[in-house]
Amino acid sequence: MDKQGHPTNISWLEKCLKKVDKDLKNLLKKSPVWREKDDILQSTPGVGPVLSMTLLSGLPELGNLNRKEIAALVGVAPLNRDSGLFRGKRMIWGGRANIRSVLYMSATCAMRFNPTIRIFYERLRLAGKLHKVAITACMRKLLVILNTMNQKSYLLEYRSTMKILLTKNTVANPPL
């Protein structure tokens, strides 16, 4: 340990983090229910092990609520700020911030690799929505897709449907 103790503390924290990750993966492998849910979540382009583990551990309600309830629970539902005659802007707030931050990173990845989310994002941007508003809408859409997939227990086969989506809805001419 040095005088300030930083390198030792950082290496100890990294070692603890690796142990926690290993324990989570072992728990996931032991449970057939969690394995099935993990396979369902990770079948979606843009969803990796980090989001999958975060949703499985921090959002046990996934698959049991409708789209409005799950969006409000995570905090990606637009809520009004009205009072009397005053009509404020709709904005997101509340919910589970740790899940929302991981969902944000996953949505940015999905905008690149998931044709449904990419076309949705580009359509919103062409309609004049701000970047931040469009990303938030993509977060909500991705969450609703994952919730529905867990409700119905099915995997996505994007390799076959990607060609269909890209031919029907080209990036140059997004649907209005």
Side-chain angles (χ1 to χ4, degrees), residues 79-104:
L79 302 171
N80 57 11
R81 302 279 294 202
D82 298 344
S83 176
L85 296 176
F86 175 74
R87 297 288 175 249
K89 280 189 169 183
R90 293 347 183 210
M91 56 183 58
I92 63 167
W93 51 275
R96 299 182 183 168
N98 58 338
I99 294 173
R100 195 169 50 247
S101 63
V102 175
L103 188 63
Y104 171 83

Side-chain angles (χ1 to χ4, degrees), residues 66-82:
N66 65 33
R67 63 186 175 90
K68 290 181 180 180
E69 293 170 338
I70 198 75
L73 185 63
V74 174
V76 292
L79 302 171
N80 57 11
R81 302 279 294 202
D82 298 344

Side-chain angles (χ1 to χ4, degrees), residues 77-136:
L79 302 171
N80 57 11
R81 302 279 294 202
D82 298 344
S83 176
L85 296 176
F86 175 74
R87 297 288 175 249
K89 280 189 169 183
R90 293 347 183 210
M91 56 183 58
I92 63 167
W93 51 275
R96 299 182 183 168
N98 58 338
I99 294 173
R100 195 169 50 247
S101 63
V102 175
L103 188 63
Y104 171 83
M105 292 306 295
S106 186
T108 57
C109 183
M111 287 185 331
R112 206 170 151 199
F113 297 107
N114 189 326
T116 306
I117 302 296
R118 181 177 61 235
I119 291 168
F120 180 67
Y121 172 79
E122 289 175 355
R123 187 184 75 207
L124 290 174
R125 291 292 288 157
L126 286 174
K129 300 295 181 188
L130 297 174
H131 173 71
K132 191 173 183 180
V133 173
I135 286 181
T136 304

Side-chain angles (χ1 to χ4, degrees), residues 9 15 30 37 44-45 58 100 102 112 160 164 168 176:
N9 288 340
K15 194 185 311 182
K30 288 180 184 176
K37 286 186 176 194
T44 306
R100 195 169 50 247
V102 175
R112 206 170 151 199
S160 60
I164 296 168
K168 285 186 179 178
L176 298 176

Side-chain angles (χ1 to χ4, degrees), residues 23-172:
D23 291 344
L24 277 172
K25 288 177 185 175
N26 288 336
L27 284 172
L28 181 74
K29 288 179 185 177
K30 288 180 184 176
S31 171
V33 175
W34 279 15
R35 249 184 295 136
E36 179 188 357
K37 286 186 176 194
D38 183 54
D39 291 341
I40 290 170
L41 292 173
Q42 289 196 42
S43 71
T44 306
V47 177
V50 174
L51 179 64
S52 179
M53 287 287 190
T54 303
L55 291 177
L56 289 174
S57 63
L59 194 64
E61 301 88 356
L62 189 70
N64 297 324
L65 301 175
N66 65 33
R67 63 186 175 90
K68 290 181 180 180
E69 293 170 338
I70 198 75
L73 185 63
V74 174
V76 292
L79 302 171
N80 57 11
R81 302 279 294 202
D82 298 344
S83 176
L85 296 176
F86 175 74
R87 297 288 175 249
K89 280 189 169 183
R90 293 347 183 210
M91 56 183 58
I92 63 167
W93 51 275
R96 299 182 183 168
N98 58 338
I99 294 173
R100 195 169 50 247
S101 63
V102 175
L103 188 63
Y104 171 83
M105 292 306 295
S106 186
T108 57
C109 183
M111 287 185 331
R112 206 170 151 199
F113 297 107
N114 189 326
T116 306
I117 302 296
R118 181 177 61 235
I119 291 168
F120 180 67
Y121 172 79
E122 289 175 355
R123 187 184 75 207
L124 290 174
R125 291 292 288 157
L126 286 174
K129 300 295 181 188
L130 297 174
H131 173 71
K132 191 173 183 180
V133 173
I135 286 181
T136 304
C138 290
M139 289 167 55
R140 180 184 171 130
K141 186 168 189 83
L142 182 61
L143 181 66
V144 168
I145 289 170
L146 296 174
N147 187 50
T148 304
M149 288 172 59
N150 268 317
Q151 281 176 344
K152 304 197 186 290
S153 294
Y154 67 88
L155 300 168
L156 284 183
E157 292 293 330
Y158 259 94
R159 286 181 176 75
S160 60
T161 59
M162 233 162 71
K163 292 178 184 173
I164 296 168
L165 286 172
L166 290 176
T167 56
K168 285 186 179 178
N169 302 324
T170 61
V171 176

